[in-house]
Amino acid sequence: MSKHVVVLGGGIGGIATAYNLRKLDKNLRITVVSGRPYFGFTPAYPHLALGWRKFEDITVPLANILPKHGIEFINENGESIDPDANKLKTTGGKEIHYDYLVIATGPKLVFGAEGQEQYSTSVCTAEHAMELNKKLEDFYKNPGPVVVGAIPGVSCFGPAYEFAFMLHYELKKRGLRHKVPITYITSEPYVGHMGLGGVGPSRRLMEDTMAERSISYVANVKITKVEPDKVIYEDLEGKTYEVPCKLSMIMPRFMGPEVVASAGDKVANPVNKMVIVNRCFQNPTYKNIFGVGVVTAIPPVEQTPIPTGVPKTGMMIEQMALAVAHNIVSDIRNSADRYAPELSAICIADMGSDAMGFYASPVIPPRSVVKYKKALWMHWIKSAFEKYFMWKVKTGDVAPFFEEKMLSLIFGTHPIHVCKDCAGSPGSAC
Ligand SMILES: Cc1cc2nc3c(=O)[nH]c(=O)nc-3n(C[C@H](O)[C@H](O)[C@H](O)COP(=O)(O)OP(=O)(O)OC[C@H]3O[C@@H](n4cnc5c(N)ncnc54)[C@H](O)[C@@H]3O)c2cc1C
């Protein structure tokens, strides 16, 4: 009888894992269990917030696409995992037996500053982005100061930078920029750190770009409170400051959702409840459980005065998904071959008129290669990539042969590597 792989989560990580598995083994039974009925291209959520994209442009119903590729879809959330019995229970009461479980639920959002959830809006989900879009429509009629920021423990800073730069562009287009002071307030030790200790000259680039666009910034501080008309932060000495605002977009920090915690402390990291994985993104205790995407526990690249986490970007997640699919298929075939993702990243921060792109390989220092570029055409590359990714999701192949060849030619990157020793923390050298 064919083995049953259950993939929990229908985002970039879950869909990429399910498609890679299908490509590697036509006989596998694959089930995706996901609470949201659609796949959403998260990197375009800031664009959705600004009304530059419609919901339909960047989402696709999973029930329409997965069965076409021989993948079952259950539109429910996973509620609990019994790793000893190999069973997943869903919120609808289904008990699903698995031979392998891939946890790719993405994060639970933690709004750690008082009033943050009530008075600011994130761009982390399509629903939040659309809510922010409505707020912005009112805001344009009666503009005032804006705060964009990140609370302590944030790992995903890119969307905050993007939102600040893109809002600057939108306000300029509407002839409102001179009425809107924008302040970026962050837990990063300096702007451009991005939870990564910086990437090449990212500090200088971000500082220059903020100066060019008249965006004030405060780094190395804790946002403690958000009120309807101000954001309050604290410096390292505990002194508090207030910045007036009419609208704020403050990034929450991420932790693993309850379903991961339900699997016990051998699966869920005790600190952030994310999935404990080794270099090959396999749980060291329950070898038939794997983690992919934002929900995996990757240690910070360095200690910062105010805690920050390491971002898990789209390219890193696609690499995790490919490695995990290979590892599961190798295990089924009784092969000893194991694979670790390279964990390299191409990140493009859209700024409306132009964009700033970084390539780091590997993301976790020491890095062999760092490249960067700020240019008008980078903005078009970002848009083209979005269309390309949506096309991949609709066609059912997230790793077409030409993509790996092209990335290898341009960047010398290879998504996965044979790993001789899977023990060790994710991203550490094999
Ligand atoms: C706003 C934003 C912009 C970003 N922009 C970029 C970018 O430009 N470039 C880049 O490289 N990276 C970017 N990232 C980082 C990363 O690529 C995304 O976060 C990516 O969506 C993560 O994929 P994922 O599959 O891990 O999680 P998600 O995309 O969050 O998907 C998880 C899925 O699991 C489902 N789920 C949740 N809980 C359960 C449960 N209990 N049971 C079943 N299903 C569940 C969710 O509904 C969701 O469908 C961005 C992140 C954010 C938040």
Side-chain angles (χ1 to χ4, degrees):
M1 213 172 77
S2 62
K3 298 284 186 193
H4 187 199
V5 185
V6 172
V7 179
L8 193 58
I12 295 180
I15 296 305
T17 310
Y19 283 167
N20 287 326
L21 283 165
R22 172 52 70 239
K23 199 166 159 184
L24 291 171
D25 189 333
K26 301 279 174 252
N27 297 317
L28 267 184
R29 183 175 166 213
I30 306 167
T31 305
V32 170
V33 178
S34 193
R36 286 208 173 82
Y38 59 86
F39 164 84
F41 186 69
T42 320
Y45 289 173
H47 301 69
L48 188 61
L50 283 156
W52 298 359
R53 298 288 186 282
K54 293 199 196 77
F55 179 77
E56 312 78 74
D57 299 336
I58 54 165
T59 59
V60 49
L62 290 172
N64 291 1
I65 50 164
L66 293 179
K68 275 194 211 155
H69 304 291
I71 297 168
E72 294 167 40
F73 174 52
I74 297 176
N75 184 197
E76 285 177 32
N77 268 320
E79 187 174 75
S80 60
I81 297 163
D82 181 344
D84 295 306
N86 297 329
K87 261 194 223 159
L88 166 77
K89 200 170 158 201
T90 67
T91 42
K94 292 188 178 68
E95 282 209 347
I96 306 170
H97 179 274
Y98 60 82
D99 295 295
Y100 297 88
L101 175 69
V102 181
I103 305 177
T105 58
K108 173 179 166 179
L109 308 179
V110 182
F111 299 92
E114 197 185 326
Q116 183 186 2
E117 190 167 13
Q118 214 175 339
Y119 301 120
S120 85
T121 313
S122 92
V123 286
C124 290
T125 65
E127 293 74 20
H128 285 179
M130 288 187 289
E131 188 189 326
L132 184 51
N133 180 249
K134 280 202 195 113
K135 282 191 183 177
L136 277 167
E137 286 306 326
D138 288 338
F139 172 83
Y140 297 140
K141 290 177 202 145
N142 187 14
V146 168
V147 171
V148 179
I151 62 165
V154 163
S155 50
C156 187
F157 294 96
Y161 286 108
E162 269 197 320
F163 184 74
F165 292 134
M166 284 165 43
L167 181 65
H168 159 85
Y169 179 73
E170 181 67 28
L171 290 166
K172 230 174 76 174
K173 257 192 356 189
R174 289 173 183 259
L176 297 173
R177 182 64 180 93
H178 63 289
K179 296 184 178 169
V180 182
I182 303 178
T183 311
Y184 179 78
I185 305 177
T186 182
S187 50
E188 298 154 277
Y190 49 86
V191 290
H193 179 279
M194 300 186 288
L196 286 169
V199 178
S202 58
R203 178 178 189 162
R204 208 184 63 226
L205 272 176
M206 285 295 183
E207 284 176 351
D208 286 357
T209 310
M210 292 218 172
E212 272 167 18
R213 286 159 213 226
S214 188
I215 298 173
S216 319
Y217 55 85
V218 190
N220 219 11
V221 296
K222 288 184 206 170
I223 294 178
T224 52
K225 197 168 178 187
V226 183
E227 293 187 6
D229 58 351
K230 56 171 138 356
V231 169
I232 299 168
Y233 67 88
E234 196 178 289
D235 67 14
L236 292 178
E237 278 80 50
K239 214 168 144 202
T240 57
Y241 303 81
E242 292 182 3
V243 180
C245 73
K246 198 144 204 187
L247 182 120
S248 64
M249 195 298 279
I250 314 277
M251 287 298 285
R253 69 185 165 83
F254 294 169
M255 67 181 286
E258 283 76 11
V259 66
V260 180
S262 75
D265 57 9
K266 302 241 166 12
V267 174
N269 177 297
V271 179
N272 57 21
K273 304 298 172 202
M274 292 192 175
V275 184
I276 303 170
V277 288
N278 61 19
R279 281 188 187 117
C280 298
F281 284 74
Q282 179 181 41
N283 181 259
T285 311
Y286 296 98
K287 308 259 186 228
N288 61 344
I289 296 185
F290 294 79
V292 169
V294 168
V295 76
T296 54
I298 303 185
V301 298
E302 63 180 12
Q303 252 205 318
T304 48
I306 295 171
T308 55
V310 63
K312 291 138 207 170
T313 65
M315 187 175 185
M316 293 163 79
I317 296 171
E318 285 194 75
Q319 294 173 349
M320 292 176 205
L322 189 61
V324 163
H326 274 280
N327 290 333
I328 291 175
V329 170
S330 279
D331 199 62
I332 292 170
R333 294 179 182 161
N334 294 320
S335 155
D337 295 345
R338 290 294 178 272
Y339 300 87
E342 185 174 84
L343 295 189
S344 43
I346 299 174
C347 288
I348 303 177
D350 199 357
M351 303 191 287
S353 51
D354 52 354
M356 209 184 302
F358 297 96
Y359 170 70
S361 178
V363 161
I364 297 166
R367 299 180 183 128
S368 315
V369 188
V370 170
K371 293 180 195 286
Y372 61 93
K373 189 85 199 161
K374 186 172 143 191
L376 174 77
W377 54 267
M378 292 293 289
H379 165 73
W380 296 112
I381 297 265
K382 174 113 187 179
S383 302
F385 181 73
E386 172 192 315
K387 306 235 162 4
Y388 169 63
F389 200 90
M390 291 306 290
W391 172 79
K392 289 203 298 184
V393 170
K394 286 175 193 162
T395 53
D397 183 1
V398 287
F401 72 96
F402 56 83
E403 184 180 301
E404 188 176 340
K405 287 232 159 4
M406 216 172 69
L407 288 172
S408 151
L409 262 173
I410 303 175
F411 296 106
T413 191
H414 298 283
I416 58 175
H417 298 275
V418 172
C419 185
K420 298 271 175 248
D421 174 18
C422 296
S425 67
S428 60
C430 272

